[in-house]
Amino acid sequence: MPSSRSASPISPDSESGRSGPSAAGEPRLGPPALALAFKLALAPLLVAQAVRARRRAPVLPEAAGPREGRAGAGEGPSVRVLVTGDSSAAGVGVAHQDQSVVGYLVRTLAAHRVGAIEWRLRARSGLNTREVHAMLLAAPPAPADVAVVVTGVNDVIDQVPARRALAHRAALADWLLAQGLARHVVFAPLPPMHRFPLLPEPLRGVIGTDARRHDQALARWAATRSDVSVAAIAIELTPETMASDGFHPGEPVYRACGEALGLHVARCVA
């Protein structure tokens, strides 16, 4: 899902190794070394485009509204859900948390199970995965049955190599599980950043390729774990479905993501 840092200057940072299979309908990713060479060759243009995009983008606030609550009813067992992450978790791009990913997640989960849902949101604009972990370390959340992590866009914007970003995600998940703060950790996949309206070409294509590389690494790693999973989310990013800055989700995107995450969590706690 989109996040809070609008495009920032591109640094020539990448990782070695072979790329994995591409998502259906997307071009196959080339070797990371080739991507690095491409960035170096285009660095002056990419930096100029990133600076221009940042200046054009309006600064949008996080969504208003409660960041914890209780939903659902019935005689079934209650389930505790933590949602944590960056500006997409915080609801930047919509006015109220009811319109954000957590609002749609909780309503979808309540519609697909019997019992109360206790939910909490811990999110802040501008954070990458390592910074989300640091935020939670500074003030640990209450224990949850499922933790939903919405990060990744800022890892790409900050040019954190995919392998390092994955290590940060693993550290966050392992800490949540080891501390008893979650029994299962769900990661939202990265959005199709090559379709962000704010970003011009070739910056959009470079950022999009990096995002797909991060997403593939996340999916491969999660497939080896029984206590971690990645939710399947299909979204179409157009100027009409995005927020006014062309970078953050609008309500249609939040609805698609929140409903997909709610169904995924429902399966996790079934």
Side-chain angles (χ1 to χ4, degrees):
M1 292 173 59
S3 186
S4 64
R5 289 187 177 106
S6 56
S8 62
I10 300 296
S11 62
D13 195 1
S14 186
E15 74 280 9
S16 61
R18 299 177 61 186
S19 60
S22 62
E26 301 294 352
R28 184 176 179 83
L29 300 182
L34 182 61
L36 175 58
F38 186 70
K39 287 182 189 178
L40 287 170
L42 293 179
L45 174 60
L46 297 176
V47 169
Q49 287 186 328
V51 171
R52 196 176 306 119
R54 170 167 283 181
R55 288 174 177 168
R56 283 204 336 260
V59 178
L60 302 180
E62 297 179 356
R67 295 209 169 193
E68 61 180 65
R70 188 177 177 90
E75 299 299 323
S78 63
V79 62
R80 302 163 299 172
V81 178
L82 168 69
V83 178
T84 189
D86 53 30
S87 60
S88 290
V92 171
V94 293
H96 196 275
Q97 293 296 343
D98 285 346
Q99 303 165 286
S100 74
V101 68
V102 71
Y104 281 106
L105 187 160
V106 170
R107 288 193 294 275
T108 300
L109 181 56
H112 286 83
R113 69 177 306 277
V114 176
I117 301 163
E118 300 174 11
W119 62 271
R120 287 179 175 82
L121 173 64
R122 296 287 303 280
R124 188 182 306 153
S125 293
L127 302 187
N128 60 32
T129 302
R130 181 181 58 81
E131 292 165 340
V132 169
H133 190 177
M135 174 186 68
L136 297 178
L137 280 168
D145 297 298
V146 178
V148 177
V149 180
V150 182
T151 66
V153 167
N154 290 327
D155 293 312
V156 174
I157 294 298
D158 289 349
Q159 288 291 280
V160 179
R163 212 160 16 176
R164 190 182 307 160
L166 180 60
H168 293 161
R169 293 184 179 102
L172 172 57
D174 289 342
W175 176 76
L176 287 167
L177 295 162
Q179 296 299 313
L181 301 177
R183 297 169 61 188
H184 189 90
V185 179
V186 176
F187 284 89
L190 274 77
M193 295 183 71
H194 59 291
R195 297 197 176 111
F196 278 17
L198 173 71
L199 305 179
E201 293 290 0
L203 178 64
R204 185 188 302 178
V206 169
I207 290 292
T209 297
D210 287 348
R212 291 195 293 272
R213 201 180 302 282
H214 281 237
D215 211 31
Q216 291 173 7
L218 174 62
R220 286 194 299 267
W221 166 72
T224 69
R225 304 278 299 251
S226 61
D227 49 4
V228 174
S229 59
V230 179
I233 302 177
I235 53 174
E236 185 64 31
L237 301 185
T238 67
E240 293 73 30
T241 64
M242 299 287 284
S244 60
D245 64 356
F247 192 83
H248 287 93
E251 187 171 0
V253 176
Y254 278 131
R255 178 174 183 169
C257 294
E259 289 178 348
L261 287 165
L263 289 172
H264 187 92
V265 172
R267 290 191 290 270
C268 290
V269 300

